[in-house]
Amino acid sequence: MSITRSLGSSALTPALTLALTLAPAAGLMAQGTGLPSEMPAEFKEASGSWDHTRREVMIPMRDGVKLKTIILIPKGAKDAPILLTRTPYSAAVQTSHAASAHLGPVLQGYDNVTDLIVEGGYIRVIQDIRGKYGSEGDYVMNRPLRGPLNPTAVDHSTDTWDTVDWLVKHLPESNGRVGILGISYDGFLPLMALVDPHPALKAVVPMNPMVDGWQGDDWFHHGAFRAQNLSYIYEQQATRGNDLKWWTDVFDDYDLFLRAGSTGALAASRGMEQLGFWRKITEHPAYDAFWQQQAMDKVLASRPLRVPTLLVHSLYDAEDIYGALAVWKAMKPKDTTGDRLFLAMGPWSHGGEIGEGSSLGPLKFGQDTALQFRREVLKPFLDEHLKGAAKADLPPVSAFETGTNTWRKLPAWPVAGEGSAVRGTPFYLEAGLKVSRSAPKAGGASYEAYVSDPAKPVPFRARPIQPVGYDAAHTWPQWLTDDQREASGRPDVLAFVSEPLKEPLRIAGEPVANLVASTTGTDADWVVKVIDVYPDEVAAQPPMGGYQLMVSADIFRGRYREGWDSPKALKPDEPLTYRFALPAANHVFLPGHRVMVQVQSTWFPLYERNPQTFVPNIFFARPEDYRPATQRIWHMPGKASFVELPVAK
């Protein structure tokens, strides 16, 4: 039926009549040549007024895969050093933080030390790692080195070598010196560069690096899985460009994870069995060869230290609080000349060293600690090794001391200063919920007890609990500074506390928990927190009156008491010793403050719930496996519980 007959002549407007008259004989639906596109095949930006030039190239790797690389070169650059970051988080995004002709606004944001790059005249290079965003190839989470876990001929070490080789051969504006730095996953990649470094690689700066995903970084802590990281795994592996976003239909993550049951059940509800890395996690809940062989501190311990390296650690890192110091321990013996390995630690959140560092949560430091680090530590280090400047006058360790809010130049770590020593000093948990330096005596109560109910787990922070996030709407980066009074008032949390201190108490290093504990269940988690309790009134900052500030805290999954790779059921009601290190602290408890030790068995939903019934794989625990248990913390002669603090003298 023709259009004209269906409409009828009375329905035709002058415009429609004209259109029908001009229509091809085959009717309105016929395809003509159409209008030419108004877009050019390739738009050439008029960038003559910019203070830099931008190049996007695909750099070939030795196996033929090409990696998208964005190169920003300051106008007029000559003999300029190259500062490289390799990332799974989009090179395009990290080089487009603002629509500007100026390099500073373009770079201001993650993962750029913008002030040093712009002021230093660096050629800035950011590259998508293989399999992510604009790069070719297959993506593997923290791709292991070539070997048992990686049967291919390539890894991040070879990709870095090939990239550096290409850069020094194709950037005539450079001086042939390359440095690599980055935060988190971007900090793991500089460690990979150290495995087999290119001769042109002159400086390496791993910041808050992912090092050992089972012992204490992103995925597990002492065997307990960090449940809130499901969203990261989902978004990072579902698509090449992180196009699919983790979704939720509740405001409070506590409700989301609790209603789902097990972590495996929540993952299954999001289709995560399709993701290779998630399957690997569920197949390797213990510290087996899969985790051990890719732990970067172990990898680097077996290799020489060839390139000057500055490790950067954050004292309030909510994601990778383990890695930098583990690498320091592994590599420091290799620095026989004392000029290859340096450590800087500050009072920052994860990646906070590239931002503004005068405060974190309620803590005020009276100075921009991050700016001081960049100017007084990072800049001299890079200038020496990438520009050929005079030897940087850096101590082996630059450490900010919280409590006194003082930078300290240290000859080693852990020590508090020249000639100082650190001695592990037991702070005992006593009857009556007290902390004392004296060992318990006979005649008092033998233990303190609480009931841990998986149906009502202890929140790791005040509810409603936000998801992990770094935009202005999220407070995740500062949760390690949260007031712990929220937990200490619960009946399923024991809060042991000392008398007010008469003298400063300085600790520098890792506290060690030594719990003698029993459970009526056959598995249990133990959370130990060392807390600085402020005086009841703080005149200069009233909201800090009575504040309970975590100084160090961690979790231990009881099934691994006899070996990280050999989970075993616990014998009910038998007091057993659980000894494990907490994250390092560099802190002074001031006079009038008190030392508190909190003990609990859930830290939710940061960590998945332990069903408290031994099951082969907690990821797939059934609802009936989750049972309340009575936990006892013993404090009697022969069964003394304590926290060994690294007291500096």
Side-chain angles (χ1 to χ4, degrees):
M1 180 172 63
S2 71
I3 292 178
T4 53
R5 285 189 63 185
S6 66
L7 290 174
S9 59
S10 62
L12 296 178
T13 64
L16 183 55
T17 302
L18 177 60
L20 293 173
T21 303
L22 297 177
L28 287 176
M29 301 304 292
Q31 295 296 317
T33 57
L35 292 173
S37 173
E38 295 179 340
M39 296 182 184
E42 181 180 357
F43 184 81
K44 297 181 180 179
E45 290 183 296
S47 57
S49 64
W50 294 11
D51 64 1
H52 64 282
T53 59
R54 180 186 183 96
R55 295 174 59 187
E56 297 190 10
V57 298
M58 297 294 290
I59 297 181
M61 301 294 102
R62 62 191 63 185
D63 63 344
V65 166
K66 295 179 180 178
L67 305 186
K68 182 177 179 178
T69 309
I70 297 178
I71 304 167
L72 305 178
I73 305 174
K75 282 285 183 68
K78 183 180 180 181
D79 293 329
I82 299 169
L83 206 53
L84 168 67
T85 293
R86 305 185 65 248
T87 183
Y89 302 133
S90 178
V93 169
Q94 293 187 24
T95 55
S96 305
H97 288 296
S100 175
H102 298 292
L103 188 57
V106 166
L107 293 178
Q108 186 60 45
Y110 189 85
D111 177 10
N112 293 296
V113 283
T114 303
D115 44 1
L116 296 192
I117 293 170
V118 175
E119 295 168 10
Y122 286 93
I123 297 172
R124 183 64 169 135
V125 180
I126 303 186
Q127 180 183 75
D128 290 330
I129 62 173
R130 61 173 60 222
K132 291 301 293 184
Y133 292 92
S135 287
E136 299 172 352
D138 298 321
Y139 179 67
V140 177
M141 186 77 75
N142 299 102
R143 176 183 286 266
L145 289 173
R146 293 158 290 163
L149 300 177
N150 177 3
T152 74
V154 295
D155 52 34
H156 289 306
S157 175
T158 64
D159 284 353
T160 306
W161 201 101
D162 294 346
T163 298
V164 171
D165 195 61
W166 189 96
L167 291 173
V168 296
K169 290 176 179 176
H170 292 83
L171 296 183
E173 302 91 343
S174 83
N175 64 4
R177 292 171 176 250
V178 180
I180 182 170
L181 82 173
I183 296 166
S184 193
Y185 201 129
D186 298 2
F188 153 75
L189 294 162
L191 295 177
M192 277 289 197
L194 286 169
V195 172
D196 182 22
H198 190 284
L201 187 65
K202 303 298 183 182
V204 174
V205 186
M207 301 179 174
N208 313 113
M210 301 168 74
V211 171
D212 190 322
W214 197 93
Q215 285 286 1
D217 285 329
D218 292 83
W219 316 123
F220 296 82
H221 276 222
H222 298 128
F225 180 68
R226 307 197 92 197
Q228 277 196 302
N229 277 351
L230 279 184
S231 58
Y232 175 89
I233 298 169
Y234 180 92
E235 295 183 5
Q236 190 70 7
Q237 283 222 312
T239 62
R240 183 178 293 264
N242 287 43
D243 302 306
L244 293 181
K245 301 303 177 184
W246 175 261
W247 56 270
T248 180
D249 47 12
V250 298
F251 182 70
D252 187 345
D253 257 11
Y254 187 97
D255 291 327
L256 172 69
F257 284 84
L258 188 61
R259 292 172 187 173
S262 69
T263 310
L266 179 57
S269 74
R270 301 299 189 268
M272 290 181 64
E273 68 280 354
Q274 303 169 73
L275 307 180
F277 183 62
W278 173 245
R279 293 197 303 270
K280 290 176 182 176
I281 281 182
T282 61
E283 292 164 1
H284 300 278
Y287 196 53
D288 58 14
F290 174 78
W291 297 109
Q292 294 177 33
Q293 290 177 11
Q294 58 183 300
M296 288 307 298
D297 56 329
K298 295 179 175 63
V299 168
L300 294 173
S302 64
R303 286 166 169 80
L305 177 59
R306 301 174 184 171
V307 183
T309 300
L310 171 62
L311 293 162
V312 183
H313 174 70
S314 293
L315 292 165
Y316 297 98
D317 191 329
E319 296 180 35
D320 295 305
I321 202 166
Y322 176 86
L325 296 182
V327 173
W328 169 264
K329 291 178 189 176
M331 295 178 64
K332 189 56 183 173
K334 299 176 178 297
D335 184 19
T336 55
T337 57
D339 60 356
R340 289 290 178 90
L341 187 65
F342 300 87
L343 172 65
M345 63 173 73
W348 312 306
S349 61
H350 187 68
E353 59 270 25
I354 68 169
E356 201 277 338
S358 60
S359 64
L360 182 63
L363 304 184
K364 302 181 186 300
F365 306 122
Q367 54 203 290
D368 188 341
T369 61
L371 180 62
Q372 290 169 336
F373 156 73
R374 295 195 301 273
R375 287 182 174 175
E376 298 173 18
V377 180
L378 181 57
K379 182 181 185 299
F381 177 81
L382 294 178
D383 284 352
E384 175 186 350
H385 300 293
L386 298 182
K387 294 185 175 183
K391 182 176 176 60
D393 183 22
L394 295 180
V397 180
S398 302
F400 191 84
E401 183 179 83
T402 54
T404 59
N405 293 339
T406 304
W407 279 103
R408 289 184 175 270
K409 296 182 177 182
L410 308 178
W413 177 259
V415 294
E418 283 290 352
S420 297
V422 171
R423 183 176 69 249
T425 304
F427 281 68
Y428 292 95
L429 311 185
E430 287 193 333
L433 296 175
K434 295 179 181 179
V435 170
S436 171
R437 295 200 192 197
S438 301
K441 297 180 175 60
S446 299
Y447 58 80
E448 306 291 341
Y450 60 95
V451 175
S452 173
D453 186 353
K456 299 177 182 179
V458 181
F460 80 97
R461 64 184 317 195
R463 296 179 62 186
I465 293 176
Q466 297 177 323
V468 177
Y470 281 89
D471 58 29
H474 291 85
T475 58
W476 162 260
Q478 66 189 47
W479 84 263
L480 286 174
T481 67
D482 285 355
D483 193 339
Q484 296 303 304
R485 278 179 288 199
E486 184 73 17
S488 63
R490 288 180 58 114
D492 49 0
V493 177
L494 298 179
F496 300 84
V497 65
S498 73
E499 294 296 322
L501 297 172
K502 296 180 179 180
E503 297 178 348
L505 173 66
R506 175 175 287 117
I507 64 173
E510 295 179 345
V512 177
N514 192 97
L515 286 187
V516 178
S518 62
T519 176
T520 57
T522 51
D523 199 0
D525 287 347
W526 307 104
V527 178
V528 176
K529 298 182 279 188
V530 176
I531 293 167
D532 183 343
V533 181
Y534 281 57
D536 292 338
E537 287 189 306
V538 178
Q541 195 177 356
M544 295 302 289
Y547 202 90
Q548 295 180 8
L549 173 69
M550 268 197 315
V551 174
S552 181
D554 218 336
I555 188 170
F556 181 97
R557 182 140 285 175
R559 61 175 49 208
Y560 299 112
R561 176 183 165 273
E562 295 186 27
W564 299 124
D565 59 348
S566 54
K568 293 181 180 178
L570 305 178
K571 186 176 180 179
D573 294 318
E574 181 172 330
L576 300 170
T577 300
Y578 301 87
R579 186 173 174 86
F580 57 101
L582 308 181
N586 193 40
H587 182 74
V588 175
F589 295 79
L590 298 174
H593 290 227
R594 292 179 291 165
V595 177
M596 175 180 281
V597 177
Q598 287 184 6
V599 182
Q600 59 201 61
S601 290
T602 48
W603 219 9
F604 187 76
L606 177 63
Y607 294 95
E608 67 178 352
R609 296 174 300 156
N610 189 320
Q612 302 180 161
T613 302
F614 185 86
V615 295
N617 192 325
I618 290 178
F619 287 121
F620 305 112
R622 300 164 301 176
E624 59 268 27
D625 295 326
Y626 293 87
R627 301 174 187 173
T630 298
Q631 322 288 53
R632 293 184 174 91
I633 306 301
W634 295 76
H635 45 62
M636 58 183 292
K639 293 185 178 67
S641 295
F642 57 88
V643 173
E644 192 175 276
L645 295 182
V647 176
K649 295 292 186 181

